Amino acid sequence: MDLYQLPAVTALSDCVTTTQKDNLKIVRVMHPKAKCAVSLFGGHVLSFIPQGKPEAIWMSDEAKFDGKTALRGGIPVCWPWFARMANPAHGFCRTSEWELVEHRENETGVMLRLALTTTEQTFKIWPHHFELFLDIEVGDELKVSLKMHNLDEQAWKFSGALHTYLNVSDIHNTETIGMGDEYIDSLNSGALTQGGDVLTLSDTIDRVYTKPSDCITLLDKGFERQLNVKNHGANSAVLWNPWAQGAQAMGDMPDDGYKGMLCIEACQWAPDLESGTEIVPGGTYTLSTTISAG
Ligand code: TA6
């Protein structure tokens, strides 16, 4: 899917245009440093291509751009909870319509700011007042920052993740370094487990690493590159690949789709809604991930 070939609907500046893909409005950045595409549905980064390098972000060829279904691939924004502790899974942000409220550009890159705030619909799902900004900085690297603001008169708690799907040549040709040596194994009833820091994968994996390095590196022999992931405001990093059986079970991933992706996620993890991170009235919190290719 080449989102950059679609005709522009609006030109917002020299480097920023909007386009339409099925039911979704897409904001595109085309800058000498990099290209990037973002869906306003979900506030969802779909692509990041640093100049002269392969695509850094994996998107499923079977993702549904219907404006209802969460997009498979990209960088889903999971908030105000991560995982399946409440409905909908991974919170409501990835199926909400965000607004582009600001864009800026100079010779080093482009910044897009998306916003989402309480609506009648979000209040029914999660009865709190909030404002979110998603700052997407596109240049030599991609930085995505989820800025949360409590607009309530009471404190509330959240968990969440920037659920990045990284694009790889073939999962069998990758090595992941820096996840740390302790993880909560979601495939083994959440057992706290010790393990090695360097990972080559050969089966499904779904883990919350509790002590990741400041920089996680994904070596890709096929693309002859490494992707570096630096997370901030995260208490863990999640590693996920559904493998063949998981991909086959998903209606929006090709059966061999698992070979082209690996999720390395910036996660502020909690075991349940009650144990999330508290933000006091008027308080803020930022969760961010920075991805660079070397
Ligand atoms: O981050 C890993 C995970 O929580 C897995 O358990 C897996 O189910 C994945 O996210 C995808 O979730 P989704 O709701 O998008 O199918």
Side-chain angles (χ1 to χ4, degrees), residues 70-72 82-84 89-90 94 163 165 186 206 238-240 250 263 265:
L71 290 158
R72 177 69 59 203
F82 170 76
R84 285 168 170 67
H90 288 317
R94 64 178 182 157
H163 192 303
Y165 289 69
S186 308
D206 191 355
V238 172
L239 195 68
W240 179 61
M250 274 184 268
C263 286
E265 310 166 30

Side-chain angles (χ1 to χ4, degrees), residues 215-269:
C215 179
I216 299 166
T217 300
L218 176 58
L219 295 177
D220 186 331
K221 290 178 211 129
F223 282 153
E224 294 181 345
R225 75 159 174 202
Q226 69 180 56
L227 290 173
N228 301 309
V229 178
K230 293 183 185 166
N231 298 332
H232 287 281
N235 61 10
S236 58
V238 172
L239 195 68
W240 179 61
N241 184 299
W243 223 254
Q245 60 279 26
Q248 279 159 22
M250 274 184 268
D252 54 3
M253 187 186 269
D255 287 356
D256 64 352
Y258 75 97
K259 290 185 189 164
M261 51 76 57
L262 180 63
C263 286
I264 299 183
E265 310 166 30
C267 186
Q268 184 66 0
W269 184 83

Side-chain angles (χ1 to χ4, degrees), residues 116-135:
L116 180 71
T117 191
T118 320
T119 62
E120 222 174 283
Q121 233 178 342
T122 68
F123 199 81
K124 272 188 210 152
I125 301 171
W126 191 66
H128 303 292
H129 289 97
F130 66 90
E131 181 177 51
L132 296 178
F133 290 120
L134 190 72
D135 287 352

